[in-house]
Amino acid sequence: MLQTMSHFIRSPISHGSHERERKRLDLMRQLVHTEKCRDIIRMGPEAFMLLCHKLRGTGYVKDTIRSTVEEQVAKFLHIIGHNVKNRTVSFFFRRSGETVSRHFHNVLRAIISLEDEFLVQPSGRDVPPQILNNSRFYPFFKDCIGAIDGTHIRVKVPRAEAARFRGRKDYPTQNVLAACNFDMKFTYVLPGWEGTASDSRILKDALSREDSLKIPEGKYYLGDAGFMLKRGVLTPYRGVRYHLKEYSIRSPQNSKELFNHRHASLRNVIERCFGVLKKRFPILSTGTEPFYSFEVMTDIVLACCILHNFLMGVDVDETLIAEVDRELLQQEIDRSQPQQQRDDDYRLGTILRDDVAIRMWNVYPI
C-alpha cells in the first residue's frame, strides 16, 4: 500500500507541502500496523486493503496526485468509527476541511453502490444450518429465514419537525427497520422513518415499496411483540414470559412458554447484529446531536450496515461479538430484576388484599 501511495506523490511544490506529505505517509504507515489498525478504522489491515480495492472499482473514489484511495477510505472509517468532526480528521491528515468533506461523501457514495452485493435477501431454499443442526429448533423453525426488528438512531432535524422524530427517546431519532440472517448479516435495511413510527407501520411500508422486503412463500422472520402477528412475521405470545433471563430461574412450564423461550433464543441474533453495528461504528450510537444532516445520516446508516456485512465475511471480530454478548446478558439481568420486584410486590399485595378481605368478611353481618 505504501508503494502505491508513493507512486502518486509528485515533486512537492514547496517545503511545506513536502512536510505534509511526509506526515501523511507516516500516519498511514502507523495506521496499517496490525495492533493499531482495528482500533483506528475498526478492521484489520487485510480487510482494509480489500475494501479499498472494492471501492476503487466503483469509480466513485479515485487516486489523485495528492491523495490515494487508501487515505480517503481511512478518513471515512475514522470518522464513522469514532464519531469525530471533519476538523479533527483535517488536523491529523493535514487536509483542508473541504477536502475531507469531499472525500467523505465520495467514499459514502462508493459504499452505498455496493448495496446489491452485500445486502442480499434470502431465497428460503435452504434451512439455515443454525436451525438444521440444532434439535431445539429443528424441525419446528425450519421455515424461519432470520429475525427482524427496529432500532433508533439519533438525527438532527429542524426544530419544527422535531416532535414527530421524538419517540421513545428524549431526542429526535430515526427508526431503522432491519432484517438479518443467522450468520449475523443484514439482509434488508430501511432507514429514514421518524422515531415516532411504530415497527408495524414501517414493516407495512417495507413490504409494499418498490425496493421491498421480500419474504418467500411459506417462510417467515421472527419479530418481537412490537410487530403484528402474520404469516411472514412470527411473534411471541403476549402475556407469557419471554426474555431469556426469565427462564434461567424457572424452566418453561407449558407449550407457550417453551415457544417463547426458543423464539427469544433465535430472535436474539438481530439484537447481536445491532449491538455489533453500533459498537463498531459509534457514529450510530452517540447520545449527542449528529454532525450530519438527516439525509446524510440515513445514508451513513445504510453504509455502516454494508460495511458490517463486508466485515462479517472477511474479518469477523470475535472479541467485539463477545463484548456485545456480555452487554446483552447484563441487559437481560437488569430487565429481569424489576420484573422480579414487580412479582414480589404483586405477591405481597395479594396477601395484604386477601387478609383485608377475610377480616372484613368475618365481621360482615349475614
Side-chain angles (χ1 to χ4, degrees), residues 72 157 165 178 209 235 243 263 279 336 361:
Q72 298 173 48
V157 295
F165 284 89
R209 61 194 296 126
T235 61
H243 296 290
H263 182 285
K279 187 166 286 291
S336 65
W361 179 255

Side-chain angles (χ1 to χ4, degrees), residues 39-59:
D39 291 336
I40 297 174
I41 58 174
R42 305 306 191 189
M43 63 184 69
E46 295 83 5
F48 174 68
M49 295 306 298
L50 179 58
L51 176 63
C52 291
H53 174 73
K54 280 188 170 294
L55 296 181
R56 183 180 279 112
T58 66

Side-chain angles (χ1 to χ4, degrees), residues 137 146-149 180-182 184 222-224 242-245 260-276 321 324-329 331-332 335:
F137 306 127
I148 190 169
D149 202 0
C180 74
N181 59 26
F182 295 107
M184 289 186 67
L222 297 179
D224 64 14
Y242 181 71
H243 296 290
L244 295 175
K245 191 62 182 177
N260 275 13
H261 182 214
R262 297 192 178 172
H263 182 285
S265 298
L266 277 177
R267 200 196 66 84
N268 187 52
V269 67
I270 188 66
E271 303 289 351
R272 300 174 71 207
C273 282
F274 283 144
V276 171
I321 295 175
V324 169
D325 287 342
R326 287 193 297 271
E327 291 183 0
L328 289 176
L329 178 60
Q331 290 175 15
E332 286 283 350
R335 186 186 293 116

Side-chain angles (χ1 to χ4, degrees), residues 131 133-141 244 261-262 265-266:
I131 293 177
N133 300 323
N134 193 324
S135 59
R136 295 175 63 235
F137 306 127
Y138 187 84
F140 318 108
F141 292 97
L244 295 175
H261 182 214
R262 297 192 178 172
S265 298
L266 277 177

Side-chain angles (χ1 to χ4, degrees), residues 1-12 21 24-25 56 62-72 95:
M1 187 188 76
L2 294 174
Q3 291 176 350
T4 301
M5 292 177 62
S6 63
H7 173 73
F8 289 95
I9 297 178
R10 302 292 184 261
S11 299
E21 294 293 352
R24 273 194 289 270
L25 274 173
R56 183 180 279 112
K62 301 176 181 179
D63 297 294
T64 65
I65 292 178
R66 294 297 184 188
S67 179
T68 64
V69 167
E70 285 75 14
E71 180 192 329
Q72 298 173 48
R95 298 288 191 189

Side-chain angles (χ1 to χ4, degrees), residues 333-344:
I333 295 174
D334 295 341
R335 186 186 293 116
S336 65
Q337 288 175 344
Q339 179 63 46
Q340 182 63 41
Q341 293 172 359
R342 287 194 296 269
D343 291 345
D344 291 341

